[in-house]
Amino acid sequence: MGILSDDVVIISQSEKEGEPSVITINCPDKTGLGCDLCRILLFFGLNIVRGDVTTDGKWCYLVFWVIGKPNTRWNLLKMRLVEASPSFSWAFGISRYYLSDSESQPPKFPDLFLLKLACSDRTGLLYDVTEVLYKLEINIEKVKISTTPDGKVMDLFFVTDTRELLGTGKRREEVYEYLRDAIGDSMISYDIELVGSEITARSQASSSVAETLFSSDVLGEQPSGGLHTSSNVSISVDNSLSPAHTLIHITCQDHKGLLYDIMRTFKDFNIQISYGRFTIKRGRNCEIDLFIVQSDGRKILDSSKLNALVYRLRAELQQPLRVVMMNRGPDTELLVTNPVELSGKGRPQVFHDIALALKKINTCIFSAEIGRHVTGEREWEVYKVLINEEDILPVPRSKIEEQVWSTLMGWE
């Protein structure tokens, strides 16, 4: 006897714009499930204003109150949430040990495709393309964009398809039609070809980028000057309140993907949340209470493990992303970076939001690249965007940096 897929995820849409819709998820549990679900909510652009999580280690019950958009695709969201939920059979007679990420089968990388797009350049072009790919659930793994002296743009997108249909002629024709509608007569040529597995889309960032974003003072407790941070992060630990759980209490400022950043950290540390509550108070002030256990089901008593967890949480909440402008000879380069999950997944919609931010301030992109950099035991996605080749920027670099940071944090 099992449960119907319609009962796994129930979405109650709000009747009034601006009021929260309620998403209820009732399914077998596994370590990292909260991270996987919050990642999907972030991909769909939903703002979580409240959350409750309860689990006994085998079965979990999650409720998210979210603010959607007029164009939120609720039916597709439900489908993706159901797909992310563990197999129903896991709930019967299988212990937490067998549900941990460390014991699961290694993931199969989706096919990687190269989308080649040539068109006439204009402000906002890159955003229009990324918006189309986002709507079609095509994920940008790596990109190489260059502009010729005569105003032509060659876009090379290494992409994967959430629907796993990009190898079919029908799906490729769908992508073409959507891009043609968005770009119009500016489109010169279009092609998609299979290039291999996802791993081939990964590359190292340059040493100069590493020195700028990953130097020791940046990774320390006090972020270095010039990098934006989210202030008022407070984290406390209590091992006396519950005989079986460690309580983590967090107060901080809300930002886009906040709950994802917390859940991602716990997933990387292989920590299970037994009970959790997330609420937004006045303004953007958040309070989060999480009763957690280790993968063996016990509370965390090792002070070194607790200190490492708190240190990582504080770093992720203060700087979920890093944004900085740099001079590259006569050019100005925008650098954005974010941590990658241990599973290899990057943060959703970063490139989309960068393109949106630059479109808002009427700033053209001359070239762009996405790469990866490993420092210590961590991997990072690095976005490099060349803003302008002219001596004088049309928009002050401080305004560009602030606009990109605010858009990525969801503060507009």
Side-chain angles (χ1 to χ4, degrees):
M1 180 179 178
I3 58 176
L4 299 175
S5 61
D6 285 345
D7 297 326
V8 174
V9 177
I10 299 175
I11 299 179
S12 301
Q13 297 181 36
S14 62
E15 297 181 355
K16 296 181 180 180
E17 186 176 351
E19 292 186 354
S21 300
V22 182
I23 301 175
T24 303
I25 302 168
N26 182 25
C27 67
D29 195 17
K30 69 169 183 175
T31 301
L33 176 62
C35 171
D36 298 341
L37 298 175
C38 288
R39 189 178 194 279
I40 293 172
L41 298 180
L42 177 58
F43 177 85
F44 278 82
L46 300 178
N47 180 30
I48 303 173
V49 296
R50 180 182 167 192
D52 283 310
V53 179
T54 304
T55 178
D56 61 1
K58 294 183 179 180
W59 199 274
C60 65
Y61 185 77
L62 306 95
V63 185
F64 298 105
W65 287 259
V66 302
I67 302 295
K69 300 177 181 179
N71 60 348
T72 297
R73 298 165 292 175
W74 295 105
N75 291 335
L76 183 60
L77 170 65
K78 178 174 180 176
M79 183 188 306
R80 296 298 172 236
L81 291 172
V82 169
E83 291 173 352
S85 303
S87 170
F88 304 149
S89 63
W90 286 7
F92 303 99
I94 301 180
S95 68
R96 181 204 313 270
Y97 175 82
Y98 292 102
L99 302 184
S100 67
D101 285 347
S102 60
E103 294 298 318
S104 62
Q105 293 294 323
K108 176 184 178 295
F109 287 118
D111 288 335
L112 185 74
F113 293 85
L114 174 60
L115 189 160
K116 294 182 285 188
L117 183 66
C119 48
S120 301
D121 194 18
R122 61 172 171 80
T123 302
L125 174 64
L126 185 59
Y127 169 74
D128 293 341
V129 174
T130 57
E131 178 72 4
V132 166
L133 298 181
Y134 158 68
K135 289 179 179 178
L136 293 173
E137 293 189 289
I138 293 177
N139 308 301
I140 301 173
E141 304 292 342
K142 186 179 179 181
V143 65
K144 176 71 174 179
I145 296 170
S146 57
T147 305
T148 63
D150 60 350
K152 301 297 189 299
V153 176
M154 174 57 72
D155 295 341
L156 302 177
F157 294 95
F158 290 86
V159 300
T160 56
D161 186 7
T162 300
R163 304 175 193 176
E164 299 184 349
L165 296 172
L166 204 51
T168 66
K170 182 178 179 180
R171 177 66 161 161
R172 296 185 185 192
E173 183 64 24
E174 179 186 31
V175 175
Y176 170 75
E177 294 293 340
Y178 272 81
L179 286 172
R180 187 182 63 180
D181 289 345
I183 299 173
D185 295 336
S186 298
M187 182 185 291
I188 299 173
S189 65
Y190 159 90
D191 186 47
I192 296 179
E193 63 183 64
L194 178 66
V195 295
S197 64
E198 184 185 31
I199 195 70
T200 59
R202 300 177 181 173
S203 62
Q204 283 289 97
S206 67
S207 59
S208 59
V209 171
E211 291 173 1
T212 302
L213 293 174
F214 307 107
S215 58
S216 58
D217 59 333
V218 174
L219 295 172
E221 292 188 7
Q222 298 299 324
S224 64
L227 288 175
H228 295 271
T229 63
S230 179
S231 58
N232 303 322
V233 176
S234 173
I235 304 174
S236 61
V237 179
D238 191 336
N239 259 325
S240 62
L241 188 62
S242 169
H245 303 88
T246 296
L247 169 62
I248 302 288
H249 177 74
I250 303 172
T251 58
C252 62
Q253 209 173 15
D254 187 27
H255 66 254
K256 185 178 181 178
L258 169 64
L259 212 53
Y260 166 73
D261 291 324
I262 295 173
M263 296 294 187
R264 171 173 52 82
T265 302
F266 285 132
K267 181 180 181 180
D268 286 351
F269 275 74
N270 201 23
I271 287 174
Q272 180 90 21
I273 299 174
S274 297
Y275 174 76
R277 173 163 291 178
F278 164 84
T279 55
I280 295 181
K281 303 295 184 180
R282 287 177 296 180
R284 294 198 299 260
N285 298 319
C286 300
E287 287 193 9
I288 305 106
D289 287 304
L290 302 166
F291 289 83
I292 62 174
V293 293
Q294 302 176 118
S295 57
D296 60 5
R298 300 178 182 179
K299 65 195 305 182
I300 308 173
L301 298 175
D302 188 327
S303 59
S304 62
K305 291 182 180 179
L306 280 174
N307 290 337
L309 176 62
V310 171
Y311 178 87
R312 176 66 65 82
L313 279 172
R314 181 174 288 110
E316 299 296 347
L317 298 182
Q318 286 181 335
Q319 285 187 318
L321 304 106
R322 296 171 183 178
V323 179
V324 67
M325 299 284 290
M326 294 188 64
N327 288 325
R328 290 284 181 244
D331 305 324
T332 299
E333 189 172 58
L334 169 70
L335 297 175
V336 178
T337 185
N338 58 266
V340 175
E341 296 177 30
L342 287 182
S343 64
K345 294 179 180 179
R347 189 183 190 88
Q349 298 304 306
V350 175
F351 195 58
H352 172 274
D353 288 348
I354 293 172
L356 173 60
L358 296 177
K359 180 180 180 179
K360 286 180 178 180
I361 54 177
N362 200 35
T363 299
C364 289
I365 296 173
F366 183 78
S367 67
E369 293 184 29
I370 303 175
R372 292 206 173 187
H373 177 79
V374 177
T375 176
E377 298 179 352
R378 305 197 66 188
E379 187 177 20
W380 303 76
E381 275 184 326
V382 179
Y383 301 80
K384 299 189 293 181
V385 180
L386 197 62
I387 298 298
N388 203 299
E389 282 199 320
E390 303 297 330
D391 294 332
I392 302 176
L393 284 173
V395 179
R397 57 188 294 171
S398 59
K399 183 177 180 180
I400 295 175
E401 195 172 312
E402 183 62 39
Q403 181 69 54
V404 172
W405 169 257
S406 297
T407 302
L408 288 168
M409 296 292 280
W411 288 351
E412 293 193 329

